[in-house]
Amino acid sequence: MAEILVFSEKDEIAFELLSKGRELKEELCLGLAAALLGQEVEGRSSQYFSYGAEKVYLGESALWVDFYVETYAQALQRVAEEGGAQILLLGSTKRGKELASRVAQKLGAGCITDVIGLRLEGDGLVADRYALGGNTVASEVIKTERKVIAVMPKTFEAFPLEDGEGQTVHLDLELPEPRVRVVERRPKEGEAVNVEEAEVLVCIGRGLGAEEDLEMIWELAQALGAEVGCTKTLASDFGWLSEERIVGLSGKKCNPRLYVGIGISGQIQHTVGILGSKIIVAINNDPQAPIFKIADYGIVGDLYEVVPRLAERLTPP
Amino acid sequence: MQIVVCLKQIPDLQQIRIKRDTREPVLEGLPFLLGDMDKNALEEAVRIVEQRGGKVTALALGSPKLRDTIKEALAMGADEALLLIDPAFADSDTMTTAKILAKAIEKREYDLILCGEGSTDNYSGQVPSRLAEILGLPQVTYVRQLEFTEGGLRATRDMEEALEIVEVSLPALVSVTSEISEPRLPSLIQILKAAKKPLQEWTSEDLALSAHEVGKEASSLEVISNLAPEQERKNITLEGEVDEVVEQLTDAFTREGVIAR
Ligand SMILES: Cc1cc2nc3c(=O)[nH]c(=O)nc-3n(C[C@H](O)[C@H](O)[C@H](O)COP(=O)(O)OP(=O)(O)OC[C@H]3O[C@@H](n4cnc5c(N)ncnc54)[C@H](O)[C@@H]3O)c2cc1C
């Protein structure tokens, strides 16, 4: 039977995709399979079954120490061709995106990356993604027989089955040595911060005049029980906050109950990350700032006056 | 060192207007710019050639407006431009775009192909991978720093959790992030000089591609809608002295039940 093939280098994303795959396979009358490529992967297959994989392709190889996209693409191409995969669901991480495109090219398949929604309409699978720099959401269908779709992490909820069993297929892969060698990996001093999960999010932008002034932003965040996020400028250009805190197109997509944007102009690359907020508050001294167009409550004023007063008002005596 | 930099022209998205009633984007009449990260790639290429010698070719596929848009690349230091312009190329998707670019690159000598990590408009990041596959090249994506070694390149890749330092021999394809360089602002003299630099144009015929191999017909994707997301917001501006607006805002917080207290 033709199948849906799920792969992500991150198990948690593979489980999200499998959970969605269970829904799609019913409607499309397809099988649901997953590929596990790496070292010592066999032990993980039972978890994949519990998320609905009917078949798990196991590829054990010493070559998997480092993720080299060409090698993974070759392996996935083989699995897809031999198993008759019609739809490849991958995670739209950085590695997932480059892999999706490379394997799609190998398969002569159309591909959509950064997918934020997937649904069946008529006979077709429709994928949503941001387009025009985040100004619009494009809904697209893939016309080729095989379809490669890379889905943003956390787009679907992962929910396990009560019991799940399936078949294991051992792959006998003969793969060439990777042409790119990893000589060093320097973990980012990843602050353990998770702005995506925050219920209340205070975001700060270039309106802040100096790094020391972050102090008052932290005070406000504390008074609100909020996490602190920022625009790209503050992290990538100024280095005042870690890149983990960037909200937007190249940063995190957030759905807080309350978002407070301070000294942020509201460029689309930032605001795509906050559209899921329940309430948006903007504090900016320029009444023309685009952020006011998408705000529920706007304060036109100097952040240096408003923020300390607000923090004080919200802090219990 | 022969470097080909792939560049995409994009309507200035800062100036985009959204129709209120239909949520459709209005792109007509917008000026075209080169993609942001494409310019980072170009800047890096120009710097490499300044230090090591060689040639930078700016390669772009697009509408006739490209003839104008590409001048910025020449002014920034590209030695020549190669434009792929043909009505048949219109509405090419990532798959056909990569196919057309690859045909052009194959007619050239090159050591290194540089691209932006993603385009400013769609950011799908597909063209670099697809190009590398067609050309049979190793690919190194998300690069924020590039150095030359004896046998090739050493690149720092900016991955989610780590910086990954990799080595690869040439020829190779590299895609860059915005951190790699600060695109220069060309001086007036450079802008004037750019007008004299070689600029070549190729059509589908020059690339031995038939009309049904390119453009909309050969595209693997169909866009069924492309609209601004719906945003129902209250758009309430709080007015008055600082103390008053702060009071109004805290009241709103309570009313909306958005903060726990
Ligand atoms: C491909 C690409 C991806 C990108 N991805 C992201 C992303 O993921 N996230 C992101 O944030 N950006 C991203 N950007 C950058 C984005 O385009 C903007 O440059 C950035 O969001 C602007 O940040 P800002 O609002 O802090 O700065 P600005 O646009 O400079 O705005 C500063 C604002 O502060 C206000 N201000 C100044 N002083 C005061 C004061 N005293 N009191 C109150 N207000 C004041 C000003 O009126 C102004 O509106 C991306 C760009 C590109 C090209």
Side-chain angles (χ1 to χ4, degrees):
Chain A
M1 183 165 55
E3 60 192 20
I4 300 174
L5 176 64
V6 165
F7 174 76
S8 173
E9 77 281 4
K10 295 230 154 46
D11 287 340
E12 63 274 21
I13 300 175
F15 300 155
E16 293 163 17
L17 299 174
L18 281 169
S19 304
K20 180 68 177 182
R22 266 151 45 200
E23 177 193 318
L24 296 173
K25 80 170 185 136
E26 293 300 327
E27 311 240 7
L28 294 166
C29 300
L30 294 171
L32 182 59
L36 250 173
L37 309 173
Q39 288 180 305
E40 291 161 33
V41 284
E42 181 139 23
R44 277 145 66 198
S45 55
S46 62
Q47 255 186 309
Y48 276 66
F49 293 132
S50 75
Y51 280 93
E54 297 154 350
K55 204 193 276 177
V56 171
Y57 297 96
L58 284 178
E60 299 256 6
S61 163
L63 293 178
W64 301 129
V65 219
D66 296 313
F67 187 108
Y68 179 52
V69 58
E70 229 182 315
T71 325
Y72 276 77
Q74 274 164 346
L76 275 188
Q77 175 189 19
R78 255 201 51 196
V79 175
E81 284 175 349
E82 285 172 18
Q86 267 190 11
I87 299 171
L88 276 76
L89 288 182
L90 309 183
S92 207
T93 56
K94 286 188 164 186
R95 296 197 198 282
K97 263 178 94 163
E98 61 165 347
L99 174 61
S101 321
R102 187 123 193 184
V103 75
Q105 187 63 36
K106 282 185 183 290
L107 292 166
C111 171
I112 308 177
T113 53
D114 287 348
V115 167
I116 52 169
L118 195 57
R119 62 189 182 278
L120 284 164
E121 243 174 52
D123 309 323
L125 195 54
V126 180
D128 294 328
R129 64 179 331 278
Y130 284 109
L132 294 176
N135 281 284
T136 56
V137 173
S139 301
E140 301 176 337
V141 295
I142 301 176
K143 296 193 288 182
T144 50
E145 202 163 322
R146 281 214 176 83
K147 304 171 202 315
V148 180
I149 297 171
V151 182
M152 294 295 285
K154 300 219 172 99
T155 301
F156 308 123
E157 205 177 321
F159 51 101
L161 296 166
E162 310 227 310
D163 58 287
E165 272 177 57
Q167 181 197 350
T168 311
V169 181
H170 286 268
L171 298 169
D172 180 19
L173 295 168
E174 257 184 60
L175 297 166
E177 280 287 319
R179 291 196 280 177
V180 175
R181 296 165 304 280
V182 177
V183 291
E184 192 190 338
R185 190 169 281 119
R186 274 185 227 144
K188 290 190 182 167
E189 288 145 37
E191 258 187 294
V193 40
N194 207 343
V195 291
E196 295 142 292
E197 315 263 282
E199 288 284 330
V200 181
L201 183 63
V202 167
C203 269
I204 179 70
R206 202 180 198 149
L208 200 71
E211 188 173 0
E212 316 69 281
D213 302 338
L214 278 172
E215 190 66 30
M216 80 188 171
I217 304 300
W218 287 110
E219 275 165 28
L220 175 63
Q222 187 166 17
L224 280 167
E227 191 49 86
V228 173
C230 63
T231 59
K232 192 163 187 248
T233 321
L234 253 62
S236 300
D237 300 343
F238 300 173
W240 292 353
L241 288 162
S242 80
E243 291 186 353
E244 311 285 302
R245 295 186 186 272
I246 299 175
V247 172
L249 194 62
S250 46
K252 303 290 163 60
K253 315 282 182 298
C254 306
N255 309 295
R257 264 183 292 138
L258 172 64
Y259 163 94
V260 184
I262 304 167
I264 291 177
S265 59
Q267 297 299 325
I268 194 81
Q269 292 94 348
H270 176 70
T271 58
V272 289
I274 63 165
L275 294 182
S277 311
K278 181 163 174 265
I279 295 291
I280 294 180
V281 173
I283 304 170
N284 194 307
N285 61 5
D286 173 9
Q288 303 300 329
I291 195 155
F292 288 122
K293 292 209 191 90
I294 60 150
D296 293 287
Y297 297 95
I299 296 180
V300 180
D302 184 352
L303 71 91
Y304 285 90
E305 289 178 29
V306 178
V307 170
R309 281 294 297 122
L310 186 59
E312 192 185 319
R313 174 67 183 77
L314 291 166
T315 307
Chain B
M1 182 75 42
Q2 308 285 320
I3 308 179
V4 176
V5 183
C6 302
L7 301 134
K8 180 176 182 184
Q9 71 169 356
I10 288 155
D12 183 356
L13 300 172
Q14 307 276 8
Q15 297 190 38
I16 212 168
R17 233 173 23 87
I18 303 292
K19 286 190 193 159
R20 254 230 148 96
D21 43 348
T22 59
R23 293 187 281 122
E24 283 169 312
V26 184
L27 299 172
E28 282 80 42
L30 293 185
F32 281 97
L33 305 171
L34 292 173
D36 293 301
M37 287 186 272
D38 306 354
K39 278 167 66 174
N40 291 114
L42 177 62
E43 175 64 39
E44 184 67 12
V46 171
R47 272 206 307 225
I48 294 169
V49 165
E50 280 169 356
Q51 285 164 14
R52 310 179 63 87
K55 190 166 84 178
V56 178
T57 304
L59 172 66
L61 161 71
S63 74
K65 287 253 165 44
L66 254 185
R67 294 180 189 124
D68 232 17
T69 318
I70 205 68
K71 285 182 187 152
E72 185 182 6
L74 292 169
M76 277 177 65
D79 298 290
E80 58 163 3
L82 186 51
L83 306 184
L84 313 176
I85 301 178
D86 191 320
F89 293 157
D91 298 315
S92 284
D93 68 346
T94 51
M95 193 176 181
T96 36
T97 299
K99 185 196 298 180
I100 301 165
L101 292 174
K103 282 276 184 202
I105 294 171
E106 277 166 357
K107 289 167 75 100
R108 287 291 166 131
E109 277 180 24
Y110 60 85
D111 304 298
L112 179 62
I113 298 171
L114 283 179
C115 307
E117 164 204 356
S119 61
T120 309
D121 53 353
N122 290 338
Y123 205 65
S124 86
Q126 288 191 44
V127 168
S129 280
R130 286 186 181 271
L131 254 183
E133 175 61 27
I134 302 173
L135 297 169
L137 294 175
Q139 70 186 74
V140 186
T141 44
Y142 317 113
V143 170
R144 62 181 296 164
Q145 203 185 328
L146 206 53
E147 286 161 58
F148 285 83
T149 57
E150 280 290 296
L153 293 175
R154 177 191 293 252
T156 305
R157 305 181 69 204
D158 196 342
M159 305 312 288
E160 281 99 342
E161 309 79 8
L163 295 178
E164 198 173 88
I165 324 294
V166 302
E167 287 181 349
V168 66
S169 19
L170 295 173
L173 180 142
V174 169
S175 86
V176 307
T177 68
S178 55
E179 283 79 17
I180 198 164
S181 64
E182 186 69 43
R184 67 191 70 187
L185 293 172
S187 66
L188 188 60
I189 295 175
Q190 287 167 318
I191 293 170
L192 292 173
K193 270 208 212 144
K196 298 198 188 77
K197 289 188 177 175
L199 191 152
Q200 200 174 353
E201 272 187 44
W202 284 343
T203 63
S204 55
E205 210 174 304
D206 297 314
L207 300 176
L209 285 163
S210 69
H212 64 262
E213 286 177 281
V214 296
K216 200 179 174 94
E217 204 184 322
S219 164
S220 60
L221 301 179
E222 188 179 325
V223 179
I224 53 177
S225 75
N226 187 17
L227 301 174
E230 243 168 316
Q231 279 287 303
E232 299 265 329
R233 294 289 168 187
K234 298 196 172 77
N235 295 123
I236 298 171
T237 307
L238 306 176
E239 294 183 58
E241 293 299 313
V242 174
D243 283 336
E244 290 169 58
V245 292
V246 162
E247 209 52 43
Q248 290 171 39
L249 187 59
T250 37
D251 286 351
F253 286 163
T254 316
R255 206 165 53 240
E256 302 279 0
V258 286
I259 51 173
R261 59 184 49 246

